[in-house]
Amino acid sequence: MIWIVMPIFAIRYLIMRNKLLPILLILAFALSGCKDDSLSAGGSILEKEDEIYVRTDTFEIQSAITLCDSIISMPDSFLLGEMENKYGTLHADVLAQFACPIGFRYPDNAKLKGVYLRLTYSTWFGDGKAPIGINAYEMDKATFNYATRYATNTKPQDYVSEGSEPVLENEKLIMASERKDSIYTTSTNSYSTMVRAKMNDAFANKFFQLRDFESQEAFNKQFKGLYIAGVFGSTTLLNIVDIAIDVDYTFTYNKAGKDTTVSDVKSFYANSEVRQVNCINYADKQGTFDALSADAALYNYVIAPANIYTRLSLPMKKMQSVIQSRIDDKRPYVNMAKVRVNVCNHVDQTTGRDDWSQPAPKMLLIKESAMHRFFTDRELPADTCAIIGELTKGTNKAGDTEYYYSYDLSALLTKQLRFTNNPDTMHMLMVPVDVITATSNSTTYIVSIKQQQTVSATQIMSAKNPQDPMDVEVVYSGF
């Protein structure tokens, strides 16, 4: 055990100058080779209450997988279709409201040519050469409240009557890799594929008769939205980036004394002004969980979206008891406490059926007790509650490439150790997230954090893995 004692006036000066932590760490490591565990600096001339101590202890971490029932659906893109993988079978559909073009009016002599559902996707997961069938149904039972945030386990049958007829003229059958209708976007220098499916006459005529465009609320009463479903195929998930209903019509106007007929298109978009929900369902979710749990002595898993998370458990009560006993009940300050989580599955850029096996680029470590509030209230990461870890590439001692997430728990533990009623165990969840950033004056900052809406599967080393058991080394001080 290392004891470092400093005069209290020197400590206060260093705190004011923001130089206390570097000095403490330098002293701690400089003295670590001394044989006398009771070594102190200046201890003979200080009162006990003026002493400050630096100490290091290591605590074991436990880990286990846990089922994720659902996540809040706030997607920037939408999964559509079904894909079977070694981690389960994921089925994804979309419930969507459409924005009202406030103040719009069709020309008085407008004539309908046709109404189309337009879906634009830039990427897909799984087999791009396998057929996938798409159909759509009108939401006739209920619609969404914009002020409410909906979960991915929302049931389509709560919004669409049982036995409803589809509104497409025919089921749309496509193959993801056949980019028949490509759109080039100059801002991204990439192509997006458009799927355009004709609506049947009954829906087209009804939709064309809508005329109340004075408010979104009035429009929602006339048209509640669409349920867009993958109805065929089990090897492909489309990543839809844009959904719209296009109304093709013609109108006539007088030009230079002659009647001129013009074709036009009015588009109604499923955008951020209205609500959309990506409905996520896993076949035999419990069976997948049980199979992966059998591997818990070696590996844990994080499967997204809304399937399985990994829980890390820290012995909080023991940690507090040990640390307080070492610093004579002084106020604890954690100088360093890093946790490294090693990734086991391969990271590559290949496309194919096993794309789902790619680890998540960003993984949030968050206190389990704060998770619901954090995402519901759209909070930003704070080191005392939630910490972002990025998938990091490194090299091990053998020279082989390795990947891992790293978390600094020093701020979180400093706050937690000062509570008087700590739980025996503090549970934290590893949650894959999408991070939205912005840049201002050459500074990049986080705008929002969302639970990952696209697919990923991360295999990590269990805390019990004999090759590299998980623990946290805590460097702390008391003053």
Side-chain angles (χ1 to χ4, degrees), residues 285-433:
K285 192 171 186 176
Q286 186 63 50
T288 301
F289 177 82
D290 293 341
L292 295 179
S293 295
D295 212 14
L298 297 175
Y299 306 109
N300 297 136
Y301 300 85
V302 182
I303 315 297
N307 192 0
I308 290 172
Y309 291 159
T310 287
R311 176 189 288 123
L312 302 185
S313 300
L314 281 69
M316 203 63 237
K317 183 71 79 174
K318 176 182 178 182
M319 193 179 295
Q320 185 178 42
S321 175
V322 169
I323 290 175
Q324 287 296 161
S325 68
R326 300 286 197 269
I327 61 175
D328 293 334
D329 293 325
K330 292 180 179 292
R331 187 174 176 83
Y333 192 102
V334 177
N335 310 109
M336 185 172 63
K338 290 189 176 180
V339 173
R340 173 167 162 156
V341 180
N342 291 317
V343 175
C344 303
N345 54 324
H346 296 292
V347 181
D348 57 55
Q349 301 300 320
T350 60
T351 57
R353 186 180 177 88
D354 286 332
D355 282 352
W356 194 356
S357 300
Q358 298 297 294
K362 290 182 171 58
M363 192 79 72
L364 190 73
L365 184 64
I366 182 170
K367 291 172 68 173
E368 188 169 11
S369 59
M371 183 169 146
H372 179 75
R373 183 205 74 224
F374 182 90
F375 289 108
T376 300
D377 296 343
R378 304 185 70 175
E379 296 181 13
L380 296 178
D383 290 343
T384 55
C385 171
I387 307 158
I388 292 179
E390 293 194 14
L391 185 64
T392 304
K393 183 178 180 180
T395 305
N396 61 21
K397 294 180 180 178
D400 299 323
T401 299
E402 60 180 1
Y403 291 87
Y404 60 90
Y405 305 99
S406 181
Y407 303 96
D408 184 358
L409 305 185
S410 55
L412 185 149
L413 290 179
T414 295
K415 179 179 179 180
Q416 198 72 30
L417 286 168
R418 295 173 183 177
F419 292 159
T420 57
N421 57 342
N422 265 305
D424 290 342
T425 304
M426 181 174 69
H427 299 299
M428 303 192 73
L429 293 178
M430 294 183 66
V431 180
V433 292

Side-chain angles (χ1 to χ4, degrees), residues 251-269:
F251 65 95
T252 302
Y253 73 102
N254 187 279
K255 182 179 181 181
K258 294 183 180 180
D259 287 341
T260 301
T261 300
V262 178
S263 294
D264 200 1
V265 177
K266 184 60 186 177
S267 297
F268 297 74
Y269 291 96

Side-chain angles (χ1 to χ4, degrees), residues 113-117 134-136 165-172 196-204:
K113 290 174 60 180
V115 177
Y116 298 83
L117 174 64
I134 301 169
N135 222 323
E165 293 293 325
V167 296
L168 295 187
E169 189 172 75
N170 295 292
E171 176 185 310
K172 187 70 174 182
R196 205 161 185 249
K198 193 173 189 300
M199 303 289 206
N200 61 36
D201 290 343
F203 178 85

